[in-house]
Amino acid sequence: MSKKMSYKILKRFAEKYFRTVPRQKKFMTFQKAETILLIFESDLSEGNPRIHRIIQLLTLEGKKVTTWGFLNKKESITPVSPNYKILLPKNFGLFNKPKKQILNELLSKEYDLLIDLSTGNLIYLDYIILCARAKCKAGIKKPEVNFYDFAMDMDDYLVKNNMKTSDLDISFIFDQIIFYLKNIHSND
């Protein structure tokens, strides 16, 4: 199925989802966030050293971190734990939607903050971001879909540095998002 058709189906699914599943959006400063869901694209070796460093930093800040990654392989060597999960294409069904078991697990928990560290348009992760129960969702602005409450526009940076979105380092994305979440003050 073409990428264009897949995103058309995702957008229709999102419209229906927003109508049927209520969500209480709330801007969440970094200081107020206690539970964080990190979304990322796994490297092929599944080592993900940058992700583990980010988890460690967040844990040292007193945050409870859950991490969901995506790896485009048939099998994963990473052990699954309640707080660290690598999803594979087999976890998704028709039109790249998460299978019921994954969706139920995702919907069973609520987070204060979702941080998407992915740089590409991965429809698999877009479904996860859409369906995750988080008060505030943050990530970098992407052309296909935007399910974020706080989206970082990296276009000027990319042009200035002659880069593509896929060239961005996840540590850089994380640092930028956290910098703004720490420095923006909300009135609630």
Side-chain angles (χ1 to χ4, degrees), residues 1-184:
M1 177 182 308
S2 76
K3 186 175 179 180
K4 198 174 194 176
M5 179 60 91
S6 294
Y7 273 101
K8 200 174 199 176
I9 292 167
L10 171 63
K11 287 177 183 179
R12 263 196 247 128
F13 177 82
E15 289 168 6
K16 182 179 177 187
Y17 189 82
F18 288 136
R19 283 192 311 268
T20 58
V21 179
R23 178 171 172 245
Q24 296 227 316
K25 289 193 238 180
K26 178 181 181 185
F27 180 77
M28 187 65 60
T29 63
F30 181 75
Q31 294 81 352
K32 289 182 181 177
E34 294 176 10
T35 56
I36 297 175
L37 174 60
L38 284 180
I39 304 293
F40 71 101
E41 298 168 62
S42 177
D43 58 39
L44 288 175
S45 69
E46 299 182 47
N48 301 307
R50 289 181 179 97
I51 291 297
H52 291 290
R53 184 186 136 278
I54 290 168
I55 294 168
Q56 185 178 29
L57 288 171
L58 290 171
T59 304
L60 288 172
E61 292 264 1
K63 310 301 181 188
K64 186 174 183 224
V65 182
T66 301
T67 312
W68 285 38
F70 177 78
L71 178 62
N72 198 5
K73 284 176 35 178
K74 287 190 185 274
E75 293 298 324
S76 171
I77 58 171
T78 303
V80 174
S81 76
N83 294 327
Y84 190 89
K85 178 182 293 303
I86 299 290
L87 299 171
L88 304 167
K90 70 180 181 182
N91 298 118
F92 297 82
L94 191 62
F95 307 120
N96 304 313
K97 292 179 191 173
K99 288 187 176 175
K100 193 170 187 114
Q101 175 190 359
I102 297 298
L103 197 55
N104 288 341
E105 186 177 345
L106 185 64
L107 294 172
S108 71
K109 295 181 183 161
E110 186 170 0
Y111 303 92
D112 293 326
L113 180 61
L114 176 149
I115 301 174
D116 176 19
L117 299 174
S118 64
T119 56
N121 281 325
L122 277 173
I123 195 159
Y124 304 103
L125 290 180
D126 291 333
Y127 273 105
I128 298 299
I129 294 160
L130 168 66
C131 297
R133 294 180 54 222
K135 293 174 187 162
C136 183
K137 299 178 182 184
I140 59 173
K141 185 178 129 190
K142 296 177 185 169
E144 293 293 335
V145 292
N146 187 1
F147 301 132
Y148 307 124
D149 305 306
F150 179 77
M152 297 282 304
D153 187 347
M154 302 300 288
D155 292 344
D156 290 342
Y157 177 84
L158 294 171
V159 169
K160 181 180 172 186
N161 292 291
N162 195 27
M163 297 170 69
K164 297 182 284 189
T165 306
S166 59
D167 296 331
L168 289 171
D169 182 78
I170 62 171
S171 296
F172 175 75
I173 296 168
F174 174 77
D175 291 342
Q176 293 298 305
I177 291 171
I178 296 303
F179 172 80
Y180 285 103
L181 290 176
K182 283 184 174 182
N183 288 295
I184 294 173

